[in-house]
Amino acid sequence: MPTAELPLPHAAPATDVPAIDLHAVGVRYGPARSPVTAVQDVSLTVAEGEFVVLVGPSGCGKTTLLRVVAGFERATTGTALVRGTDPAPGRGTGLVFQQPRLFPWRTVGGNLSFALARHGLPRGLRASRTEELLDLVGLPGFEGRRTWELSGGQQQRVAIARALAGEPRLLLLDEPFAALDAITRERLQEELRTLADRTGTTVLFVTHSAEEAVLLGSRVLVMAADPGRVAAQVSICLERGEHTDVAALRGTAEFARLRAELTRALLTASGGGGGSEGEAVS
């Protein structure tokens, strides 16, 4: 598979304002008389340049929190800020959710060209940039394909490329690699981590995989369900950089220790244990 470099976002200016700041956030759905609590009393601060991973069982509110940060959901209680302002879609944020959400009436190239146009790239540069993005996600030559001709994994690769089109300062990803084959998934994991290391891009990443969380995150938050809340935190202190041998990293004793620690925390959270509700994490 050809090698392509990730797009480099503009470096975030030095600031004391957190990239993400959630305080006592709660999200409820349904009628007031019998609401369903998706998330309760979550406080979370993510500094500029951090790579934070949310992990936990299904139904624990990981995606709900991601949607609050993206500006697609409003917190029922508490406050949510992105760089000091109310979250809103598109403000320097790249989004990749579980479903690709491509335009079915456009070709693959048309989907990416649309995203590049929205981000102000001149028309004459869009074709070459589209080729670079497709090469990155392992789909060279797919510009003319219709989205309905692609497999689910291929569609998700296009969605990842589209999220990178705007050279975002903040990336929000909801299990973006789950549908990909193992080789492509590992390559994109490495490239995503390289992007964060090289540019200081802030990343909030959702996964079910303890191994993926340890490999990617600088900090992992374990969520528990009923109601969705942060139950534990695991700090990841691994020697990583642009030229890290990821295969060798996976084989280290420290990687195995962190994966085991996180797995235990996940098992506790899945069984209803974990930290107290309302625990602030920063």
Side-chain angles (χ1 to χ4, degrees):
M1 186 158 48
T3 300
E5 289 192 354
L6 280 163
L8 299 179
H10 302 296
T15 177
D16 292 330
V17 177
I20 301 169
D21 190 8
L22 308 182
H23 177 69
V25 165
V27 179
R28 294 193 298 268
Y29 300 109
R33 294 180 59 184
S34 56
V36 174
T37 301
V39 172
Q40 179 169 297
D41 206 17
V42 170
S43 294
L44 166 65
T45 300
V46 179
E48 290 282 2
E50 266 200 287
F51 197 125
V52 174
V53 179
L54 300 178
V55 65
S58 297
C60 69
K62 302 185 301 295
T63 295
T64 299
L65 279 182
L66 207 70
R67 290 179 63 83
V68 168
V69 174
F72 293 148
E73 299 269 1
R74 291 288 181 185
T76 309
T77 57
T79 58
L81 298 175
V82 174
R83 296 191 176 89
T85 63
D86 291 335
R91 290 181 183 168
T93 301
L95 304 166
V96 182
F97 290 109
Q98 293 176 5
Q99 300 301 319
R101 301 181 183 179
L102 303 174
F103 297 131
W105 58 90
R106 289 180 178 267
T107 62
V108 168
N111 272 273
L112 296 184
S113 182
F114 178 83
L116 292 167
R118 285 195 62 193
H119 291 292
L121 191 71
R123 182 184 298 272
L125 300 178
R126 292 175 203 163
S128 60
R129 189 71 181 120
T130 293
E131 290 179 4
E132 292 173 4
L133 290 166
L134 289 176
D135 185 49
L136 167 67
V137 297
L139 295 176
F142 274 60
E143 293 89 338
R145 295 282 192 94
R146 297 288 177 180
T147 58
W148 47 263
E149 296 179 305
L150 307 181
S151 68
Q154 289 171 335
Q155 290 183 21
Q156 191 67 314
R157 292 192 219 179
V158 177
I160 294 168
R162 183 180 59 188
L164 295 172
E167 302 181 357
R169 290 172 55 196
L170 173 63
L171 275 175
L172 306 176
L173 303 106
D174 189 351
E175 297 191 83
F177 306 142
L180 303 179
D181 63 88
I183 293 175
T184 302
R185 180 170 62 250
E186 290 181 8
R187 176 171 179 261
L188 288 176
Q189 287 170 343
E190 293 176 34
E191 293 285 2
L192 178 61
R193 185 66 222 203
T194 297
L195 170 68
D197 289 336
R198 292 174 66 189
T199 67
T201 303
T202 307
V203 180
L204 187 61
F205 188 101
V206 167
T207 181
H208 280 95
S209 168
E211 178 162 325
E212 184 170 64
V214 172
L215 180 68
L216 293 177
S218 54
R219 184 159 51 116
V220 180
L221 305 183
V222 179
M223 296 191 66
D226 301 321
R229 64 201 186 278
V230 176
Q233 173 179 230
V234 178
S235 295
I236 308 298
C237 298
L238 293 171
E239 292 294 331
R240 286 182 292 213
E242 284 188 49
H243 306 294
T244 297
D245 185 336
V246 175
L249 183 66
R250 291 176 191 268
T252 62
E254 180 64 5
F255 188 92
R257 185 192 69 78
L258 287 166
R259 182 177 56 196
E261 179 183 348
L262 183 55
T263 298
R264 287 193 296 270
L266 279 166
L267 290 171
T268 300
S270 298
S276 61
E277 294 173 15
E279 178 182 359
V281 181
S282 62

